[in-house]
Amino acid sequence: GAGVSQSPSNKVTEKGKDVELRCDPISGHTALYWYRQSLGQGLEFLIYFQGNSAPDKSGLPSDRFSAERTGGSVSTLTIQRTQQEDSAVYLCASSLALAGTGELFFGEGSRLTVL
Amino acid sequence: QKEVEQDPGPLSVPEGAIVSLNCTYSNSAFQYFMWYRQYSRKGPELLMYTYSSGNKEDGRFTAQVDKSSKYISLFIRDSQPSDSATYLCAMSASGQESGNTPLVFGKGTRLSVIA
């Protein structure tokens, strides 16, 4: 389909392991966002990429979290040395540049469980 | 105080009822206001968008913004079981003129419409 694609849809890992989550945005969307959704906590902003500009990393909760976006398209969110509190749904969204309406198109998320 | 406050519910109403969902916020710079709907195990999708103060109507849905009170509302008329979902308010301070800044989301209100 033409929507935002995320993989894996579910990931179970052991505490201390590293995980990589992938996001494939809608073609032509230059802005890409990562949010985290924990039970009862709403959507927490993590990081934002806009074209070739430096990413806005202000929402990353610790230095164990990092993200990159290669070629202005696919993005990977990496969590090193996972902790149980990292368990959440990680949502990726994309939008057109200067989309003043704020319409973000979300993927279905990657559900991470850290045992 | 969080930037955006939203009662998480759950809210349960009978089919046909009028539903009122609300958010309050603290940042007076917010001027773009949205409501997203999220079905279980899906990503959020944009439902309504409003700029600055005023009302906007779309079918059974009406969005209201009162910037003087820092209060926004979503009304659903003639509610249907298919409206059962989590409704998240979202807002931002910038728009098309100055590029995107990440949306700030409320925690979401879980709504159940009972047939």
Side-chain angles (χ1 to χ4, degrees):
Chain A
V4 176
S5 177
Q6 291 188 247
S7 62
S9 55
N10 283 285
K11 176 72 176 178
V12 179
T13 191
E14 293 180 348
K15 178 181 172 181
K17 300 284 190 183
D18 297 352
V19 296
E20 284 190 353
L21 308 176
R22 176 189 166 105
C23 174
D24 201 341
I26 292 172
S27 177
H29 282 190
T30 61
L32 186 147
Y33 312 75
W34 284 98
Y35 283 85
R36 178 168 69 176
Q37 188 172 34
S38 305
L39 192 62
Q41 296 301 313
L43 267 68
E44 175 189 5
F45 166 72
L46 298 177
I47 188 168
Y48 157 59
F49 297 89
Q50 172 62 64
N52 295 321
S53 302
D56 177 354
K57 304 179 182 180
S58 60
L60 294 178
S62 78
D63 59 7
R64 295 186 297 104
F65 288 72
S66 63
E68 63 178 20
R69 188 178 184 192
T70 54
S73 182
V74 171
S75 177
T76 302
L77 176 69
T78 301
I79 309 172
Q80 296 178 310
R81 304 182 302 282
T82 52
Q83 304 294 312
Q84 288 182 332
E85 60 262 28
D86 299 334
S87 297
V89 177
Y90 290 82
L91 288 161
C92 175
S94 69
S95 71
L96 292 168
L98 304 180
T101 62
E103 181 165 15
L104 304 187
F105 294 83
F106 284 87
E108 295 197 345
S110 291
R111 183 175 299 271
L112 175 65
T113 303
V114 182
L115 301 177
Chain B
Q1 180 190 12
K2 284 193 173 289
E3 273 196 298
V4 180
E5 300 276 3
Q6 182 177 11
D7 186 340
L11 179 62
S12 183
V13 301
E15 182 176 358
I18 297 174
V19 176
S20 173
L21 304 168
N22 312 291
C23 288
T24 59
Y25 63 95
S26 58
N27 187 346
S28 57
F30 287 146
Q31 52 184 339
Y32 296 87
F33 304 92
M34 303 103 198
W35 287 93
Y36 280 76
R37 178 175 61 195
Q38 184 177 24
Y39 290 113
S40 180
R41 297 196 171 256
K42 299 290 186 181
E45 55 182 357
L46 183 67
L47 184 63
M48 296 285 285
Y49 157 78
T50 310
Y51 170 71
S52 194
S53 285
N55 293 0
K56 184 172 184 177
E57 188 173 322
D58 183 1
R60 297 184 294 109
F61 299 89
T62 300
Q64 287 186 352
V65 174
D66 182 348
K67 289 189 70 179
S68 63
S69 301
K70 297 190 180 69
Y71 187 88
I72 70 170
S73 301
L74 177 71
F75 297 96
I76 307 174
R77 291 183 299 281
D78 187 26
S79 56
Q80 302 296 308
S82 58
D83 296 327
S84 299
T86 297
Y87 291 79
L88 301 109
C89 62
M91 46 200 81
S92 72
S94 73
Q96 192 160 6
E97 292 78 23
S98 53
N100 284 327
T101 59
L103 289 179
V104 180
F105 284 85
K107 289 187 176 183
T109 300
R110 187 174 174 185
L111 171 67
S112 294
V113 181
I114 311 301

